[in-house]
């Protein structure tokens, strides 16, 4: 049992993080052409709405919910100190979880019942569907059975995650958690590990830059103000683009 | 003044014969690939018709282009807020069935089918699934007004036309149509560039060609929504958007783009325009009725010394300024004011201009008593005995303009945001040139009358001859005035040749490293 705990709660996170870091950087720098998700909306645009929208908004809020609990555990505990606020947090998180699960199931059915989508689906997509559906189901199961997750996450899991990042992994508390929680952790790190090898890579390139860039983009091959000036050796002004 | 140069085009619609050679040339070079089979970077539509993708002009469906609301101009279906919140699901994305499902035929079955009682057939199969399909739609499905009940009558440009006017258009014996070849307009205010969340689309400064960087494109597909002309296409196999590149590798080598080079009717003209980029913002904010003229006012006179000086300050090469002075596009758009942008109300400032077609209206159809005329005719000559006169006479100046077979309003909806006077103005010029040339070549038009017509159209004799030359006689070099791209300088900018001198051979961009 201890070997299993050590492997899944210490070794796996480090393997996952290493794969994630090295793989993502490699894919971005060497396979830039493939850093995106292969959208299938063009081939099937109606049923996608009932899958992609609930799934993405659900995962968007839940991802940041978990992240906030990791980054500001005291803040979460302080928020939870009043039962009303705790209930608001837990219930909204549960709703997002359900939205995510419904979205995923819709996406899964859509992808495997629409004939055209067979030709833009690969094996990794199936792996992702299975992992994400299992993960979401376990998340909901945990939220329902082991209350209140937001509080004990901040006291139990946040120190564990910190210990991993501090390179002094401490699993004394985590190894005592119920098996459902452990599986949730294991699948989470597995998903992190396969990000660079799957369509999940697209969330790393969410185009935030769009917010502050000007709408129109012009690119020049040369510095147009200096190219004709005899005073500047224009071959020294190498372009920033391309 | 911020002068930039733009390679732009004029399509002379009177000359288009609808042969689709341009489309085939483009397809063979650029889109004959998996995932791109359905794309026609160049396509030719029959008007009236719904076009490709179906009813693309109706922005209430596709929500492309810019819209002006409360004095502000913004993207209709994309933009920063809409684009980033709809990034999980783009509600305004056309799907493959809006274009058509690409197909081929199982030709091999014709040869390899086993012996049997029935003739083998080549069944159509989908190029997506490979399964046999029932073809519902294809490129140019409504070519030459086929299926007009379904297609022609659903043309979005028929809005504002009364029911009676529409009926006249579709009466069998009065039917008229023309072809509309379309490529990317390489706009000055491109909606695709503005909508791209990844910043993959850009306009090249030197020649204004709008390109999508395939390495940066992350398939958010906002450009497909935003382009009101639906000239940005999503490749479902590669997961990238693609569009017309104006054959820039050919342009840089001094060759005309493939669609233009292959054009049988010689309808296409390509040349440089100098324009004032400072005016873009003000122009797109103007009201509809001022937009078309203001768009033309942005184009600057390449012979003006002030313009030349400012252009040089902005790094525009002498060769480009020279090309701008000989640009056929400048003549058509600015000097003769003959060409108009397509659907300027989308506010993208398209840089592809069209000479509106005259031929469907040149003649009018009326019922006359022609018994006297037919007696005078040679008895062997054929004449219509149903008293319908296909009147191409020049008896009345511009007489047929008032009894057009083709409603002026329809063309105005396409080319001048509903302003019929603008179309009429172009038609007068086109007819004046014809009457003027008839005086010179046939001689049955009096000088007095021809001059009167020219004056009414606002043309001088030299201009009329110029229009005639460029329309009817122009040689290759007259139709395509391509400035040198100075690629040698650009390449030296991209790769410092000194760095790699002596280390690489032909065909290598990186050092040819060898293992053990």
């Amino acid at each position: 049992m201890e070997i299993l705990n050590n492997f899944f709660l210490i070794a796996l996170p480090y393997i996952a993080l290493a794969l994630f870091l090295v793989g993502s950087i490699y894919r971005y720098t060497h396979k830039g052409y493939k850093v995106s998700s292969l959208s299938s909306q063009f081939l099937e645009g109606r049923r996608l709405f009932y899958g992609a929208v609930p799934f993405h908004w659900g995962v968007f809020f839940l991802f940041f919910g978990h992240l906030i609990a990791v980054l500001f555990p005291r803040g979460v505990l302080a928020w939870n100190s009043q039962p009303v606020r705790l209930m608001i947090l837990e219930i909204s998180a549960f709703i997002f979880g359900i939205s995510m699960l419904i979205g995923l199931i819709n996406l899964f059915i859509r992808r495997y019942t629409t004939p055209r989508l067979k030709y833009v689906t690969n094996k990794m997509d199936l792996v992702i569907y299975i992992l994400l559906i299992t993960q979401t189901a376990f998340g909901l199961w945990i939220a329902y059975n082991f209350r209140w997750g937001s509080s004990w996450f901040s006291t139990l899991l946040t120190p564990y995650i910190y210990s991993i990042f501090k390179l002094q992994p401490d699993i004394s508390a985590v190894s005592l958690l119920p098996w459902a929680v452990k599986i949730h952790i294991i699948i989470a790190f597995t998903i992190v590990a396969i990000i660079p090898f799957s369509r999940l890579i697209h969330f790393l390139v969410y185009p935030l830059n769009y917010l502050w860039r000007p709408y129109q983009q012009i690119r020049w091959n040369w510095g147009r103000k200096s190219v004709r000036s005899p005073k500047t050796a224009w071959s020294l002004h190498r372009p920033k683009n391309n | 003044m911020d002068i930039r140069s733009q390679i732009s085009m004029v399509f002379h619609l009177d000359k288009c014969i609808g042969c689709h050679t341009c489309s085939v040339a483009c397809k063979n070079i650029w889109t004959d690939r998996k995932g791109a089979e359905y794309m026609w970077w160049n396509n030719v539509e029959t008007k009236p018709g719904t076009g490709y993708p179906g009813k693309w002009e109706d922005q209430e469906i596709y929500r492309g282009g810019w819209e002006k609301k409360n004095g502000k101009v913004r993207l209709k279906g994309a933009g920063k807020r809409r684009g980033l919140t709809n990034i999980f699901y783009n509600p305004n994305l056309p799907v493959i069935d809006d274009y058509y499902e690409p197909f081929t035929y199982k030709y091999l079955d014709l040869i390899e089918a086993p012996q049997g009682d029935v003739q083998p057939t080549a069944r159509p199969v989908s190029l997506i699934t490979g399964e046999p399909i029932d073809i519902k739609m294809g490129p140019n499905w409504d070519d030459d007004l086929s299926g007009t009940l379904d297609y022609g009558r659903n043309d979005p440009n028929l809005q504002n036309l009364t029911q009676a006017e529409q009926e006249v258009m579709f009466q069998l014996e009065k039917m008229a149509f023309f072809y509309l070849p379309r490529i990317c307009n390489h706009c000055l205010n491109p909606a695709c560039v503005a909508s791209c969340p990844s910043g993959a689309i850009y306009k090249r400064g030197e020649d204004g060609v709008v390109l999508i960087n395939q390495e940066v494109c992350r398939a958010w597909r906002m450009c497909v929504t935003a382009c009101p002309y639906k000239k940005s296409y999503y490749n479902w196999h590669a997961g990238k958007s693609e569009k017309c590149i104006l054959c820039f590798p050919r342009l840089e080598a001094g060759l005309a783009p493939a669609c233009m080079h292959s054009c049988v009717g010689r309808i296409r003209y390509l040349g440089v325009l100098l324009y004032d980029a400072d005016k873009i913002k003000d122009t797109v904010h103007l009201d509809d009725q001022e937009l078309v003229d203001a768009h033309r006012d942005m184009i600057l006179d390449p012979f003006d010394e002030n313009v030349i000086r400012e252009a040089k300050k902005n790094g525009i090469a002498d060769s480009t300024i020279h090309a701008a002075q000989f640009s056929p596009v400048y003549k058509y758009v600015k000097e003769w004011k003959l060409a108009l942008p397509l659907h300027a109300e989308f506010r993208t400032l398209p840089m592809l201009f069209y000479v509106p077609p005259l031929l469907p209206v040149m003649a009018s159809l009326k019922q006359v008593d022609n018994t006297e005329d037919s007696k005078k005719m040679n008895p062997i000559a054929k004449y219509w005995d149903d008293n319908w006169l296909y009147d191409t006479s020049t008896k009345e100046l511009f007489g047929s303009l008032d009894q057009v077979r083709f409603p002026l309003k329809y063309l105005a909806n396409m080319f001048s945001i509903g302003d019929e006077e603008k179309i009429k103005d172009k038609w007068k010029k086109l007819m004046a040139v014809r009457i003027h040339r008839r005086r010179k070549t046939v001689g049955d038009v009096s000088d007095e009358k021809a001059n009167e017509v020219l004056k009414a159209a606002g043309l001088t004799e030299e201009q009329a001859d110029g229009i005639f030359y460029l329309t009817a006689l122009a040689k290759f070099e007259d139709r395509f005035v391509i400035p040198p791209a100075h690629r040698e300088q650009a390449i030296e900018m991209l790769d410092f040749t000194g760095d790699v001198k002596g280390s690489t051979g032909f065909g290598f961009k990186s050092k040819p490293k060898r293992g053990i």
Side-chain angles (χ1 to χ4, degrees):
Chain A
M1 196 62 203
E2 202 187 323
I3 294 175
L4 281 181
N5 275 340
N6 282 344
F7 178 76
F8 282 117
L9 298 176
I10 300 176
L12 179 70
Y14 284 113
I15 295 171
L17 289 171
L19 278 175
F20 168 70
L21 271 179
V22 177
S24 301
I25 292 169
Y26 178 81
R27 183 158 168 188
Y28 191 83
T29 52
H30 286 73
K31 308 262 186 212
Y33 185 72
K34 292 186 173 177
V35 182
S36 63
S37 179
L38 181 57
S39 165
S40 59
Q41 191 188 347
F42 186 69
L43 295 180
E44 200 291 313
R46 201 174 44 83
R47 288 160 74 192
L48 179 69
F49 176 83
Y50 302 99
V53 173
F55 164 69
H56 278 99
W57 284 114
V59 80
F60 178 83
F61 282 103
L62 288 177
F63 174 79
F64 282 103
H66 285 67
L67 195 68
I68 286 167
V70 170
L71 293 178
F72 313 107
R74 289 205 178 86
V76 173
L77 288 174
W79 171 273
N80 284 349
S81 59
Q82 280 188 23
V84 182
R85 296 200 296 211
L86 171 74
M87 291 303 285
I88 291 172
L89 182 69
E90 285 284 334
I91 289 174
S92 52
F94 199 79
I95 290 170
F96 283 123
I98 287 176
S99 142
M100 198 176 148
L101 189 65
I102 291 171
L104 274 169
I105 290 169
N106 281 340
L107 284 174
F108 184 81
I109 295 171
R110 164 186 176 270
R111 188 162 284 271
Y112 293 99
T113 55
T114 312
R116 280 175 186 168
L117 296 188
K118 195 174 140 193
Y119 303 91
V120 287
T121 304
N122 56 32
K123 281 176 193 150
M124 199 43 132
D125 292 340
L126 182 64
V127 175
I128 293 169
Y129 276 125
I130 292 170
L131 283 176
L132 283 176
I133 290 173
T134 326
Q135 181 73 336
T136 316
F138 268 104
L140 287 168
W141 171 265
I142 291 163
Y144 184 74
N145 285 313
F146 309 107
R147 292 169 209 167
W148 300 99
S150 53
S151 286
W152 59 254
F153 187 104
S154 305
T155 48
L156 286 175
L157 287 175
T158 307
Y160 162 66
I161 304 232
Y162 272 92
S163 74
I164 285 175
F165 279 103
K166 279 190 223 155
L167 301 179
Q168 290 162 346
D170 173 15
I171 57 164
S172 51
V174 181
S175 53
L176 299 175
L177 284 171
W179 59 273
V181 182
K182 282 187 193 165
I183 288 179
H184 195 69
I185 297 172
I186 292 166
I187 298 179
F189 280 112
T190 314
I191 291 172
V192 168
I194 62 167
I195 284 173
F197 311 102
S198 66
R199 64 193 305 138
L200 295 178
I201 189 90
H202 74 274
F203 97 91
L204 293 177
V205 288
Y206 183 83
L208 276 177
N209 183 38
Y210 188 42
L211 282 175
W212 49 80
R213 78 150 223 248
Y215 268 125
Q216 299 298 0
Q217 300 200 107
I218 309 278
R219 298 212 185 148
W220 301 89
N221 263 333
W222 48 62
R224 59 197 182 112
K225 296 288 178 190
S226 58
V227 67
R228 290 183 74 114
S229 165
K231 285 178 189 159
T232 50
W234 58 264
S235 63
L236 297 177
H237 293 266
R238 299 175 66 176
K240 306 283 185 290
N241 56 14
N242 281 314
Chain B
M1 202 147 47
D2 178 15
I3 298 187
R4 292 180 195 166
S5 67
Q6 163 85 34
I7 294 200
S8 45
M9 298 73 74
V10 164
F11 290 1
H12 198 308
L13 294 185
D14 260 343
K15 298 171 77 185
C16 183
I17 57 171
C19 64
H20 304 283
T21 309
C22 46
S23 306
V24 174
C26 177
K27 168 120 297 220
N28 277 333
I29 295 184
W30 300 118
T31 57
D32 194 11
R33 291 171 283 122
K34 190 166 185 193
E37 302 98 340
Y38 83 94
M39 295 180 200
W40 295 85
W41 292 357
N42 177 108
N43 76 306
V44 184
E45 290 165 10
T46 302
K47 284 287 167 188
T50 45
Y52 158 89
K55 295 179 96 172
W56 62 270
E57 288 153 299
D58 190 346
Q59 302 310 339
E60 294 312 306
I61 303 175
Y62 289 107
R63 309 198 66 75
W66 303 83
E67 64 178 351
K68 188 178 169 184
K69 253 190 187 168
N70 309 326
K72 280 186 179 169
V73 173
R74 51 178 204 171
L75 288 165
K76 202 177 172 88
K80 291 187 180 182
R81 189 176 57 79
R82 279 207 199 89
L84 290 179
T85 48
N86 288 335
I87 205 153
F88 304 139
Y89 177 86
N90 181 351
N92 304 314
L93 183 80
V95 294
I96 185 113
D97 299 310
D98 290 324
Y99 302 81
Y100 68 98
E101 181 163 355
F103 55 86
T104 185
Y105 295 92
K106 291 174 95 175
Y107 294 108
L108 216 56
D109 284 1
L110 295 177
I111 300 165
E112 294 189 342
Q115 196 173 11
D117 295 335
V118 287
Q119 285 279 355
T121 52
R123 289 182 76 185
V125 288
S126 162
L127 277 172
I128 298 175
T129 62
E131 300 294 319
I133 56 166
D134 194 11
I135 301 169
K136 297 255 166 52
M137 188 75 182
N140 305 302
W141 203 241
D142 57 343
D143 215 15
D144 298 341
L145 294 184
S146 57
T148 295
L149 282 180
D150 285 340
Y151 302 104
R153 280 175 190 271
N154 284 321
D155 187 321
N157 295 302
L158 294 174
Q159 58 175 351
N160 313 339
L161 265 72
T162 62
Q163 201 57 38
E165 281 174 315
Q166 294 192 25
E167 285 312 315
V168 170
M169 273 181 87
F170 292 110
Q171 272 178 34
L172 200 57
E173 64 275 16
K174 294 188 179 181
M175 240 174 195
F177 63 86
F178 65 97
Y179 299 105
L180 181 72
R182 301 199 298 124
I183 64 171
C184 168
N185 292 290
H186 297 280
C187 309
L188 294 186
N189 185 33
C192 59
V193 177
S195 71
C196 178
S198 324
I201 316 184
Y202 60 97
K203 192 172 176 70
R204 294 213 300 194
E206 287 77 15
D207 52 12
V209 176
V210 177
L211 295 174
I212 301 177
N213 186 337
Q214 297 284 296
E215 293 269 320
V216 182
C217 173
R218 308 268 180 249
W220 305 119
R221 311 171 307 283
M222 289 299 165
C223 54
V224 182
T225 300
C227 176
Y229 302 93
K230 290 289 162 282
K231 279 292 167 190
S232 182
Y233 300 92
Y234 177 67
N235 182 322
W236 55 267
H237 176 68
K240 303 278 163 179
S241 286
E242 300 177 6
K243 63 178 282 301
C244 160
I245 58 176
L246 201 61
C247 284
F248 75 83
R250 290 174 62 98
L251 276 181
E252 286 170 8
L255 296 168
C259 58
M260 310 204 177
H261 200 128
S262 63
C263 180
V264 174
R266 301 183 180 185
I267 75 155
R268 299 185 177 214
Y269 303 83
L270 178 136
V272 178
L273 292 179
L274 301 180
Y275 68 97
D276 185 0
D278 281 343
K279 282 190 185 163
I280 294 177
K281 197 176 173 193
D282 290 339
T283 307
V284 295
H285 281 83
L286 288 173
D287 288 334
D288 277 355
Q289 60 269 26
E290 299 167 306
L291 205 54
V292 177
D293 286 332
H295 186 184
R296 187 174 56 233
D297 289 341
M298 289 172 64
I299 301 164
L300 300 168
D301 180 2
F303 295 98
D304 186 331
E305 278 180 19
N306 193 24
V307 170
I308 293 174
R309 194 178 57 246
E310 290 291 323
K312 284 184 176 174
K313 249 190 227 171
N314 255 0
I316 295 174
D318 285 348
S319 51
T320 305
I321 298 171
H322 188 71
Q325 292 172 339
F326 287 88
S327 167
V329 180
Y330 180 78
K331 286 186 183 132
Y332 269 119
V333 178
K334 183 89 175 174
E335 205 176 311
W336 302 329
K337 298 188 174 64
L338 259 180
L340 291 165
L342 175 64
H343 286 301
E345 71 271 23
F346 299 158
R347 290 171 197 278
T348 62
L349 302 181
M351 290 310 263
L352 160 56
F353 299 88
Y354 292 89
V355 178
L358 177 62
L359 274 176
V361 299
M362 182 68 186
S364 60
L365 203 63
K366 53 185 171 189
Q367 213 157 17
V368 290
D369 176 24
N370 57 359
T371 40
E372 287 303 311
D373 282 351
S374 53
K375 271 181 204 160
K376 277 187 252 167
M377 284 176 84
N378 186 325
I380 311 167
K382 279 188 182 171
Y383 60 90
W384 299 107
D385 54 3
D386 58 359
N387 295 347
W388 280 103
L389 178 67
Y390 190 73
D391 183 14
T392 57
S393 72
T394 51
K395 276 176 203 154
E396 300 160 59
L397 300 182
F398 310 126
S400 45
L401 276 192
D402 297 325
Q403 317 146 15
V404 286
R405 287 169 64 202
F406 210 82
L408 210 54
K409 187 132 225 156
Y410 179 85
L411 283 170
N413 279 344
M414 286 181 74
F415 296 111
S416 62
I417 325 186
D419 186 349
E420 294 177 37
E421 283 310 308
K422 286 204 181 77
I423 304 287
K424 223 170 183 171
D425 178 59
K426 315 299 174 226
W427 277 352
K428 276 185 181 171
K429 284 179 181 165
L430 290 170
M431 283 180 83
V433 172
R434 280 167 165 79
I435 294 170
H436 165 70
R437 289 307 301 174
R438 190 171 175 120
R439 154 177 58 174
K440 287 207 162 177
T441 54
V442 183
D444 66 345
V445 180
S446 69
D447 280 356
E448 194 183 38
K449 195 169 162 187
N451 289 337
E452 194 187 327
V453 174
L454 283 175
K455 202 178 161 198
L459 290 174
T460 65
E461 223 173 289
E462 292 77 47
Q463 281 177 324
D465 280 330
I467 294 171
F468 163 69
Y469 176 80
L470 210 51
T471 305
L473 305 176
K475 300 286 179 280
F476 202 85
E477 309 82 69
D478 302 316
R479 285 182 281 130
F480 307 113
V481 183
I482 302 164
H486 296 292
R487 256 349 240 178
E488 71 288 356
Q489 293 178 16
I491 285 166
E492 283 180 33
M493 304 295 294
L494 300 175
D495 293 305
F496 188 56
T497 45
D499 284 352
V500 286
K501 195 178 175 199
S503 61
T504 53
F506 292 106
F508 289 100
K509 274 199 82 177
S510 55
K511 289 188 183 183
K513 277 186 197 151
R514 296 286 298 267
I516 315 164

